[in-house]
Amino acid sequence: MIETDRDNSFDPKCVQGNILRGYHYARVRHLVLEVVNAALARRWLSQATDGSGAAPAITTEEEWLIKPASCFNLGFTYDGLKALGVPNASLASFAPEFKAGIARRAVKINDVGESAPENWASPFDTPDRVHIIASVYAEELEELDRVERQVADGLGGDGFAILGRHDGWNFDTDHVHFGYRDSMSQPRFVGVHDSDSYPDKQPLVPIGSMLIGYPTEYQNIRYAVPQPDALGRDGAFNAFRILKQDCAAFERYLDMAADSLLDDQLGEELLPVGDEAKFGPDTSRHAALREIIAAKMCGRWRNGVPLELSPDTPCPPEPVSPTDYDYGDDVRCPFGSHMRRCNPRGSTIVQRAARHTRRLVRRGYPYGGRYDPGKPDDEERGLLGNFICASLAGQFEAMMCDWLNLGLQDPRITGSNDPLLGANEAETSWFAIPLKSGRVIKLRGFPRFVTVRGGAYTFLASIPAIRYIANLER
Amino acid sequence: MSVRRRMNQLVPRRASLNDLVNSMSKSRLFGWLAGHVLVPYWARKTPVHKQPGGARATVQPGDNVQRMMNLILPLKDKTAVGRAKAAMAIASNLDEIYAGLDNVGTVHFARFVIIENNMCMISCYDGDFSNYIRDFVAQLGTVFDSVIALIEDGEAMIPTRDNIDTFINWVHDRDVYQIPDTATELLHYGTIGQPAVKSGEVADLRLIARALILQLHANPNALLGSGYRGYPGISAARIRDKMGFGW
């Protein structure tokens, strides 16, 4: 049970934006910076915290009356903090997984094979040089360019080397590659105004699950604050990931699975003859089966309608909430679907002690052009993802290694990986679709659809923490 | 002297030399020299990374269930009174321990054993080690505190709920080293300052025995292999589900 009067005494001016609430801009640019002159880099950080000089001002959690043309945020890697001169005693007080960095935690989160760090794209193939991820959010490309110039010119240009730039954009409102609507449900926090104010059956999340220094969802557990307090408190950790999506392989697999169910008894139970009409007037059985399989794998229909509230059709006669539900049995939404694995909501899980404790704020943008199944191409496309939490080990990694992969949370999926994001191999992968009769369709033979191209564990330091770094002398 | 005759004289001499070399390893003198001189010399000359304890990270789903933890925690009070205090710390928290096991949900068995002034915590659990310990502390923080208070270097961890990352590392450091199931894996543990054998490189198989000996020099306690399971790859919850216990 969450206490609603828990310590929420953070000051929005001190917390970086985009952690507790999303910006909802059309575009993002992530700049990968290496500190090449620590003294100049620290002076630039000083400007960024108080808006003086040429550096772009860091956006905070403060409410705005008029949406700015752009927002700007910084995430520091462990190597970045070291390069900026953070003392060894402070560096030692950070959590072990952050100190190790995402590349050294690769096996734990199943970044293996093609996704292994030795196969990552530049600049993530030299993780020790990745010091800061500077993120710019705006509606227009010109504004992204303008803010990038603010980073590249003057002090910033002398203090940092820009190792890489990664642009993401919402090519179709909230839709991402593979065709799903995304970004509908995020944690809502105790004592924090929720501007989206959508209904949700999940309990409010204590801010200690995202910001460091406050009570968490775990009974009595607080994650350690890196020292000194001015550096650690009110920060958050972020797993920045570049996730390449193989749209052609995904669509091919849907075709193949639909083919196999077309003249099959189990296929007829999954989609009773005539029910394809529920998908639209001209929808074929094959096309409807493809959409059912895509929905079962994700937990939502591709238009965003949750399976739990509309298990038979993406177009329910009455509109349903995209967020206000809890999970029941697995006939509506399979235990192994992507969404249910990553966030089982209030449903029973094996690790009862961990219920609601592994929630993440997800801020993602697609990259690459929209995929046209009629004109397959070789363009790389995927998702630039930020997975934000107070403990990378307790939330992000715990979710990745026990739930998204392995499926420990329910004995009926243990031994299988997430069908969309899991570290699958065609020879061993399986995904179960339970039917009303108790029989089960077991899909097999799907490859890893999403591979990792790069990433970094970053610390989204508070504004006082960035001032603390800026004022370091060495 | 003919060549044939000369050969006949050499062969027995070589055989006796081989016998001599082979018998050296069984001699008490060589045994003493190997254990007390040669291995410490090797260890100083080519120091190996002391490998961490506990189950190694693996990506195969079947290898991530039924993992072994063998903690050896030296008691501060090495008398019968100290051992009795340790026994009492467990005995007075049995209800909490059973409730904790249910709520953590991934434990096959757990036991506490006192061996020669060490409190040993031994368990078989599913999934990731950090997640297992974190969930347990969330459930049983006060029980851990009462046990850890009796252990050398344990007091800095108390209360464990406020030092969760440090406590997980502390426990991991005291988890017994597990000798790999496959002998060649030993060759991937590089010596200090030198890279480990990378995939694609040709490993020198003759060094396996030496790698094992040096690792056991660095890690005196060891679990032989990752554990032998009667029903590999099956989680605690799957067994409880099949048996109708609920999970």
Side-chain angles (χ1 to χ4, degrees):
Chain A
M1 192 72 189
I2 301 166
E3 304 154 29
T4 50
D5 59 348
R6 278 184 172 178
D7 177 10
N8 255 5
S9 55
F10 74 97
D11 181 349
K13 288 200 296 292
C14 294
V15 175
Q16 286 205 59
N18 215 30
I19 299 173
L20 300 180
R21 67 191 164 99
Y23 293 149
H24 305 299
Y25 285 100
R27 293 178 180 275
V28 69
R29 176 168 297 167
H30 298 291
L31 300 170
V32 183
L33 308 182
E34 178 187 22
V35 176
V36 291
N37 183 318
L40 296 180
R42 287 196 298 263
R43 277 174 56 197
W44 183 88
L45 288 177
S46 177
Q47 291 181 358
T49 53
D50 56 21
S52 67
I58 297 168
T59 311
T60 71
E61 174 63 23
E62 278 181 296
E63 289 283 328
W64 55 51
L65 295 174
I66 301 167
K67 191 172 181 177
S70 57
C71 288
F72 182 67
N73 291 104
L74 298 174
F76 302 84
T77 66
Y78 178 76
D79 288 310
L81 295 177
K82 202 157 61 172
L84 286 163
V86 172
N88 287 339
S90 292
L91 291 170
S93 65
F94 277 87
E97 68 281 2
F98 176 69
K99 286 190 273 191
I102 196 168
R104 291 188 189 87
R105 308 285 280 192
V107 174
K108 183 160 194 168
I109 55 177
N110 275 55
D111 287 354
V112 294
E114 203 188 330
S115 293
E118 55 261 35
N119 297 321
W120 288 357
S122 174
F124 299 101
D125 54 346
T126 53
D128 296 349
R129 292 180 63 200
V130 175
H131 292 163
I132 293 176
I133 307 285
S135 304
V136 191
Y137 304 86
E139 292 297 335
E140 305 295 339
L141 261 179
E142 293 72 26
E143 179 65 8
L144 296 181
D145 292 339
R146 188 189 70 77
V147 179
E148 180 180 337
R149 281 196 300 276
Q150 281 186 285
V151 176
D153 294 345
L155 273 181
D158 295 330
F160 304 107
I162 298 180
L163 302 182
R165 75 177 50 70
H166 298 270
D167 277 14
W169 61 306
N170 287 322
F171 56 78
D172 181 9
T173 58
D174 286 335
H175 282 76
V176 292
H177 298 299
F178 293 171
Y180 295 102
R181 194 179 157 210
D182 194 14
S183 301
M184 281 170 289
S185 173
Q186 296 282 4
R188 298 163 307 141
F189 299 99
V190 179
V192 176
H193 173 66
D194 172 25
S195 52
D196 295 329
S197 65
Y198 50 75
D200 193 335
K201 294 227 172 355
Q202 297 180 90
L204 295 177
V205 177
I207 59 161
S209 294
M210 299 303 148
L211 292 188
I212 299 165
Y214 301 90
T216 71
E217 188 75 49
Y218 256 124
Q219 285 177 24
N220 304 321
I221 283 185
R222 279 183 194 234
Y223 295 117
V225 180
Q227 291 301 303
D229 253 26
L231 175 63
R233 200 173 170 82
D234 290 335
F237 288 107
N238 180 29
F240 173 69
R241 313 263 284 161
I242 300 179
L243 304 170
K244 177 184 158 192
Q245 295 176 254
D246 190 342
C247 297
F250 180 64
E251 297 296 336
R252 263 198 316 272
Y253 186 78
L254 293 181
D255 272 336
M256 212 170 72
D259 284 346
S260 70
L261 291 172
L262 208 48
D263 297 314
D264 184 280
Q265 273 191 347
L266 294 175
E268 275 193 23
E269 188 178 343
L270 184 67
L271 178 68
V273 175
D275 271 14
E276 55 270 24
K278 292 180 181 173
F279 291 73
D282 298 321
T283 309
S284 67
R285 263 191 85 67
H286 187 267
L289 279 168
R290 288 177 99 259
E291 289 312 306
I292 293 174
I293 295 159
K296 295 283 185 184
M297 283 182 155
C298 180
R300 287 186 190 278
W301 298 95
R302 291 209 259 196
N303 65 4
V305 170
L307 274 180
E308 191 60 38
L309 298 181
S310 178
D312 299 326
T313 172
C315 314
E318 298 293 325
V320 299
S321 163
T323 54
D324 194 20
Y325 62 91
D326 212 336
Y327 291 118
D329 65 31
D330 58 349
V331 174
R332 300 168 83 87
C333 181
F335 293 124
S337 69
H338 167 66
M339 284 174 40
R340 194 166 184 170
R341 276 173 176 271
C342 298
N343 178 15
R345 294 183 171 234
S347 59
T348 304
I349 56 172
V350 168
Q351 303 116 313
R352 275 173 276 178
R355 186 180 283 178
H356 300 305
T357 63
R358 298 178 184 177
R359 299 209 58 194
L360 301 167
V361 165
R362 299 167 300 114
R363 308 268 183 229
Y365 281 84
Y367 72 91
R370 181 206 289 262
Y371 178 72
D372 179 354
K375 295 180 193 163
D377 57 42
D378 294 332
E379 182 186 344
E380 180 176 326
R381 47 175 66 82
L383 187 88
L384 303 174
N386 286 314
F387 302 92
I388 302 169
C389 53
S391 168
L392 288 163
Q395 293 164 266
F396 174 72
E397 290 184 348
M399 185 273 290
M400 288 294 290
C401 65
D402 276 357
W403 287 1
L404 188 139
N405 291 304
L406 187 56
L408 265 189
Q409 66 271 51
D410 192 293
R412 289 158 287 196
I413 60 167
T414 300
S416 69
N417 299 329
D418 185 307
L420 294 182
L421 267 80
N424 290 305
E425 291 174 26
E427 293 77 11
T428 54
S429 58
W430 59 269
F431 171 65
I433 302 177
L435 301 170
K436 286 176 188 154
S437 65
R439 296 190 297 177
V440 174
I441 295 171
K442 218 162 188 180
L443 298 180
R444 295 182 188 275
F446 47 90
R448 186 169 193 157
F449 295 123
V450 175
T451 50
V452 183
R453 299 289 287 144
Y457 279 166
T458 64
F459 177 53
L460 307 176
S462 69
I463 304 303
I466 299 173
R467 284 203 190 102
Y468 166 87
I469 297 168
N471 291 329
L472 287 169
E473 288 178 8
R474 190 183 271 188
Chain B
M1 190 183 291
S2 74
V3 173
R4 182 182 292 265
R5 200 167 158 200
R6 208 178 292 164
M7 284 295 289
N8 285 343
Q9 284 178 343
L10 278 175
V11 169
R13 218 179 278 166
R14 186 177 293 169
S16 61
L17 188 64
N18 282 345
D19 288 346
L20 175 69
V21 170
N22 288 341
S23 67
M24 278 173 66
S25 64
K26 293 170 192 152
S27 76
R28 289 171 68 181
L29 174 66
F30 187 82
W32 188 91
L33 283 172
H36 292 83
V37 179
L38 186 59
V39 172
Y41 171 76
W42 274 351
R44 208 168 38 245
K45 194 82 176 163
T46 54
V48 298
H49 287 293
K50 181 177 183 288
Q51 287 301 306
R56 272 171 296 285
T58 174
V59 296
Q60 293 301 323
D63 291 339
N64 287 318
V65 289
Q66 295 183 33
R67 316 183 100 193
M68 311 299 160
M69 182 184 81
N70 304 279
L71 297 188
I72 300 180
L73 307 174
L75 291 169
K76 281 196 282 198
D77 182 347
K78 300 182 194 308
T79 67
V81 174
R83 297 194 287 275
K85 280 183 188 165
M88 286 301 294
I90 302 302
S92 56
N93 287 297
L94 285 182
D95 288 346
E96 287 86 344
I97 291 170
Y98 280 117
L101 285 170
D102 273 349
N103 287 327
V104 170
T106 53
V107 182
H108 291 257
F109 69 79
R111 60 177 178 266
F112 298 87
V113 189
I114 297 172
I115 301 175
E116 294 184 347
N117 293 317
N118 294 296
M119 168 64 93
C120 302
M121 294 188 194
I122 299 167
S123 72
C124 177
Y125 64 95
D126 299 323
D128 177 69
F129 177 78
S130 307
N131 299 345
Y132 161 54
I133 299 296
R134 192 180 303 106
D135 286 354
F136 240 111
V137 170
Q139 292 294 302
L140 290 179
T142 53
V143 178
F144 271 111
D145 289 352
S146 60
V147 175
I148 299 303
L150 304 173
I151 306 299
E152 287 178 3
D153 305 325
E155 274 172 7
M157 305 296 125
I158 300 171
T160 47
R161 282 171 168 166
D162 289 347
N163 295 293
I164 187 68
D165 287 330
T166 318
F167 180 66
I168 290 170
N169 269 2
W170 186 86
V171 174
H172 190 52
D173 280 347
R174 284 153 183 78
D175 197 357
V176 164
Y177 165 66
Q178 299 188 9
I179 294 177
D181 290 303
T182 54
T184 47
E185 205 180 321
L186 283 162
L187 293 172
H188 292 264
Y189 300 163
T191 52
I192 290 173
Q194 293 177 339
V197 176
K198 289 178 182 163
S199 58
E201 285 182 0
V202 178
D204 188 344
L205 299 181
R206 294 170 303 174
L207 296 178
I208 286 177
R210 175 175 148 144
L212 174 64
I213 289 169
L214 288 180
Q215 195 50 244
L216 289 177
H217 182 74
N219 265 307
N221 300 312
L223 172 69
L224 308 185
S226 58
Y228 305 104
R229 299 110 160 159
Y231 35 86
I234 309 292
S235 72
R238 287 164 95 181
I239 294 165
R240 292 177 67 109
D241 189 36
K242 288 284 180 203
M243 300 300 286
F245 298 151
W247 43 272

